[in-house]
Amino acid sequence: MRMRVVNHPVLGNLPERNRVTIYFNNQPFQAYEGDTIASAMMAEGIKTLRNHEESGNGRGIYCNIGHCFECRVQVGERKVVRACLTPVSEGMDIYSLSVFKKGSESHC
Amino acid sequence: MSDEKTIICRCEEVSLKTINDTVYQYSCSSREVKLRTRAGMGYCGGRTCRHVIDTIVADLNQKVITDDIQLSYRPPVRPITFGALGGVYHENESC
Amino acid sequence: MLNLLIIGAGPAGLKAAIAAAEQGLNVKVIDEFPKVGGRLLGQLHQEPNGEWWNGMEMGEKLHQKAIRAGVDIQCEVSVVDISQSVSGWTVYTSQGMIEARKLLLATGATETPIPIPGWTLPGVMSIGAAQVMGNVHRVKPGNTCVIIGANVLSMAIANELRLCGIKVKEIVLPAVGPISKDAGIPEKVLASLMKLTHLAPTVILRQAGKLGKFINPSFAIKYFPRRGIKLFGIPIRLKTAAVEIMGEDHVTGVQTVTISSDGKVIPGSEKVTEADFVCIAGGLAPMSELASIVGCSFKYVQELGGHVPVHNERMQTNVPNLFVAGNITGVESAKVAMAQGKVAGLAIASEWKGKRQEIELALTTAMEEVRKTRAEALIQFQPGISEARDTVYHQFTLDELRMKQEVSVS
């Protein structure tokens, strides 16, 4: 809950929402229905969502509305999504994308 | 001074220095800069950096930005599975 | 087949959907974002009369009204490609194909960045990203922040971040250079703020605007304090420039320098402001990509934010059965976008029904409303919008004449 804006002087209090558990790189995190992957991770103070495929430099959200594709993450076995546009769901498995392995043909 | 450290295209990590050098060497358009450096050719389709590239190139060539869009858009405008393109729904956004 | 497909569930798209559906058209709206509202989501500022403009509430109101009017709205749909045939449009999306007779592009604007060293670090985001994170998702991107770029948008959002409980440590300029251009020159920034501030969302800025009528900005900037002026307790430092965003794995702060009125660095003035996130406020540009792939012609209009698809006051483009509304036609406030959406919806309905008089009459009123809303706009991103708009409409007429001539020659 540490980064949630629970009380807001104009928008009022945060309404009650159902909790869900999501897994980011196999580690469990608490999130809420209505969160995107990006907002859920940001609320937990996780800023790095992937590493650049060549340089390995860390990347997090940049535009937060689906334009920049910087926040793309892997969900489940092979689906790649934009964290900022993808709502969380119970038990969701999310993985960071990382540096291309030399010799491997494809990223996913 | 910090042109090498200033990344213009985030997807392909192309620096301001690379773009400057390319324009100096070839006195070329945004489009040619894109083809030579891959700036604006990455995953986001140039959505983030295209305006910056146009500004830098117009400035270096001492030209104004014209009505024609230099860095053309080509479909697919979002990464997509072949399956979805064929009308079959797949949830993947990429490859 | 749908009568009308609208791409973008923001203020323009929703208003257009309502207007067209109320005339009996079968309308669908699609959007990439999981929530309806587009750029309305996140907007929160005080009107001159003290009332709050709550974009989220407005978005929800429009959403409900659209549902009541029978509009089908689908979120989390990304458009991949568009093609046109004799029978209408085929739109290829992440969720399959959609066919429609008429198409309205209401895709809004995209933020333009100001790249500076370190801006790819996790914790650096566009100013709009922080706004959505705080106001829509109700999550703070960090506890302390520095905003790079001083403009009407960044000042409004700085206050919104403050209301979320974030300490905005300072608003500074980007270092002067070929990318930042006027946005890095204190004198130019002050001049642009003074020109626009009679409409600004804060009392202090409005007063600065009044002063601007009597004081020359190049004179005023000389007396602008180095330490900045405070707005809601947030220091606005027009004589401080960000040269690098610091951090190893994520943002830890911003290295700044003091600059003269014309943007020159004062030697030995380097300083680091610690912050756990950084916002870049470069400005907005119309999202032209879909208009481009369907073959619209464009006009580059700096006042409107860049390349806009050529269109007339009825929001009709020079591609048959294709309309545009909202920020894709030029960056303006959500209220203008809403008014434009209504025009587009009515213009499409009128075309559908063979220009019936009562719809044409409503359309005339709606176009009048756009002009009125523009004149009263609270947030004007650039001066000279109305004149800039006229150049686009003029281009439409020229293109139309040329096309007619080409047809008659062949």
Side-chain angles (χ1 to χ4, degrees):
Chain A
M1 284 303 280
R2 55 199 192 111
M3 299 309 280
R4 303 268 172 189
V5 184
V6 180
N7 310 110
H8 191 286
V10 185
L11 297 174
N13 294 347
L14 206 52
E16 284 280 320
R17 291 179 297 174
N18 290 333
R19 284 189 189 191
V20 294
T21 304
I22 58 173
Y23 298 85
F24 183 66
N25 295 331
N26 300 312
Q27 207 190 327
F29 288 95
Q30 200 73 245
Y32 292 87
E33 267 177 19
D35 266 331
T36 58
I37 297 173
S39 70
M41 297 321 295
M42 190 67 93
E44 292 295 323
I46 306 273
K47 288 182 177 162
T48 305
L49 294 175
R50 63 176 255 271
N51 293 87
H52 189 268
E53 49 278 67
E54 277 171 45
S55 67
N57 293 328
R59 289 289 201 278
I61 64 149
Y62 180 72
C63 80
N64 209 13
I65 55 165
H67 293 172
C68 76
F69 284 79
E70 285 284 40
C71 67
R72 57 191 194 268
V73 288
Q74 186 181 325
V75 169
E77 294 277 296
R78 55 186 286 266
K79 194 163 105 180
V80 175
V81 301
R82 284 166 278 179
C84 69
L85 294 184
T86 309
V88 294
S89 58
E90 178 59 40
M92 193 178 227
D93 272 317
I94 304 151
Y95 303 97
S96 288
L97 299 166
S98 51
V99 185
F100 273 147
K101 285 191 190 79
K102 274 202 181 130
S104 79
E105 253 180 47
S106 156
H107 200 29
C108 47
Chain B
M1 56 167 183
S2 57
D3 291 1
E4 220 156 328
K5 279 161 76 181
T6 308
I7 299 291
I8 299 299
C9 170
R10 297 171 66 105
C11 297
E12 299 287 328
E13 294 201 341
V14 183
S15 72
L16 177 57
K17 183 175 188 301
T18 304
I19 293 175
N20 283 344
D21 291 351
T22 306
V23 177
Y24 282 131
Q25 194 176 344
Y26 302 99
S27 21
C28 55
S29 64
S30 309
R31 196 174 135 63
E32 199 175 327
V33 166
K34 172 177 164 178
L35 295 172
R36 289 188 182 278
T37 67
R38 293 195 59 82
M41 217 188 252
Y43 214 97
C44 85
R47 205 166 291 116
T48 314
C49 67
R50 60 167 51 243
H51 299 104
V52 177
I53 296 173
D54 276 341
T55 306
I56 298 166
V57 173
D59 202 69
L60 290 175
N61 290 328
Q62 296 184 321
K63 284 189 177 138
V64 290
I65 297 173
T66 58
D67 288 343
D68 298 320
I69 291 183
Q70 271 282 319
L71 297 173
S72 61
Y73 291 97
R74 268 157 229 248
V77 291
R78 295 286 189 278
I80 189 77
T81 58
F82 286 113
L85 269 181
V88 187
Y89 167 49
H90 274 256
E91 281 186 298
N92 299 43
E93 277 198 336
S94 81
C95 3
Chain C
M1 184 183 285
L2 293 162
N3 298 159
L4 168 64
L5 176 69
I6 299 175
I7 303 175
L14 290 174
K15 267 285 193 182
I18 295 164
E22 282 176 351
Q23 293 297 332
L25 273 73
N26 167 14
V27 186
K28 185 182 173 87
V29 184
I30 55 173
D31 198 293
E32 265 191 321
F33 203 71
K35 291 185 166 83
V36 170
R39 269 289 175 211
L40 281 171
L41 296 169
Q43 289 186 0
L44 189 68
H45 57 252
Q46 229 165 347
E47 304 269 336
N49 62 8
E51 272 176 34
W52 286 91
W53 167 261
N54 183 337
M56 285 134 300
E57 254 172 30
M58 179 54 77
E60 194 42 39
K61 234 189 242 173
L62 293 176
H63 183 189
Q64 293 308 324
K65 199 171 175 195
I67 291 171
R68 283 198 302 276
V71 177
D72 174 21
I73 304 178
Q74 199 185 350
C75 284
E76 295 177 57
V77 181
S78 300
V79 173
V80 177
D81 195 7
I82 302 173
S83 69
Q84 192 179 25
S85 66
V86 239
S87 60
W89 296 97
T90 304
V91 176
Y92 302 87
T93 78
S94 55
Q95 314 283 313
M97 241 164 57
I98 305 171
E99 291 184 312
R101 199 62 92 163
K102 293 188 185 291
L103 184 64
L104 170 65
L105 303 178
T107 49
T110 183
E111 282 189 69
T112 49
I114 307 171
I116 71 168
W119 78 299
T120 57
L121 279 169
V124 181
M125 63 198 73
S126 73
I127 188 89
Q131 181 187 42
V132 169
M133 204 47 105
N135 290 349
V136 181
H137 299 306
R138 300 286 292 267
V139 171
K140 293 189 283 183
N143 290 310
T144 53
C145 135
V146 171
I147 296 175
I148 302 171
N151 49 49
V152 178
L153 191 65
S154 74
M155 301 218 183
I157 298 178
N159 189 41
E160 294 172 16
L161 297 178
R162 181 186 68 88
L163 292 171
C164 284
I166 293 160
K167 183 163 176 56
V168 181
K169 290 195 142 176
E170 55 183 357
I171 300 177
V172 300
L173 301 194
V176 69
I179 305 167
S180 63
K181 293 194 155 171
D182 286 359
I185 302 169
E187 186 184 324
K188 304 266 188 193
V189 174
L190 187 67
S192 83
L193 288 174
M194 283 167 111
K195 244 187 259 167
L196 301 171
T197 46
H198 62 294
L199 306 158
T202 72
V203 177
I204 296 174
L205 279 179
R206 274 197 295 278
Q207 280 168 351
K210 278 181 199 152
L211 279 176
K213 284 184 190 145
F214 309 105
I215 302 173
N216 185 325
S218 63
F219 177 77
I221 194 69
K222 287 203 179 81
Y223 295 94
F224 192 91
R226 284 255 160 94
R227 294 168 56 200
I229 56 164
K230 280 194 177 179
L231 180 71
F232 297 114
I234 301 165
I236 300 170
R237 302 199 162 119
L238 300 186
K239 286 180 176 171
T240 301
V243 288
E244 183 166 354
I245 299 168
M246 318 292 288
E248 287 289 324
D249 303 322
H250 58 87
V251 170
T252 54
V254 177
Q255 166 132 45
T256 62
V257 290
T258 306
I259 51 176
S260 63
S261 302
D262 54 2
K264 286 198 187 74
V265 176
I266 313 273
S269 62
E270 291 83 3
K271 207 182 115 219
V272 172
T273 304
E274 285 178 12
D276 52 18
F277 78 105
V278 169
C279 296
I280 295 185
L284 295 162
M287 271 274 273
S288 48
E289 60 186 33
L290 294 181
S292 170
I293 61 168
V294 297
C296 281
S297 62
F298 285 86
K299 192 154 181 70
Y300 180 79
V301 191
Q302 190 254 330
E303 291 87 347
L304 298 177
H307 286 97
V308 297
V310 173
H311 60 280
N312 63 9
E313 216 176 343
R314 300 166 70 100
M315 311 317 279
Q316 196 176 13
T317 70
N318 46 28
V319 175
N321 297 317
L322 182 75
F323 293 74
V324 284
N327 274 357
I328 188 176
T329 72
V331 175
E332 286 192 78
S333 76
K335 284 184 179 171
V336 175
M338 282 160 64
Q340 286 181 323
K342 189 169 183 182
V343 168
L346 287 169
I348 292 163
S350 178
E351 220 179 74
W352 189 264
K353 295 187 158 181
K355 298 207 171 181
R356 282 228 300 265
Q357 204 190 351
E358 74 268 20
I359 308 181
E360 281 295 308
L361 222 61
L363 182 55
T364 311
T365 315
M367 291 195 295
E368 191 53 48
E369 189 62 29
V370 173
R371 288 190 286 267
K372 208 178 123 216
T373 312
R374 179 167 297 133
E376 293 167 358
L378 182 68
I379 294 184
Q380 247 182 28
F381 292 89
Q382 295 271 1
I385 296 261
S386 299
E387 295 78 1
R389 290 264 174 210
D390 288 338
T391 66
V392 177
Y393 304 148
H394 182 61
Q395 187 66 48
F396 180 90
T397 316
L398 291 179
D399 287 359
E400 207 177 30
L401 278 173
R402 189 183 39 113
M403 278 187 269
K404 273 183 194 152
Q405 274 167 0
E406 278 168 10
V407 171
S408 64
V409 167
S410 63

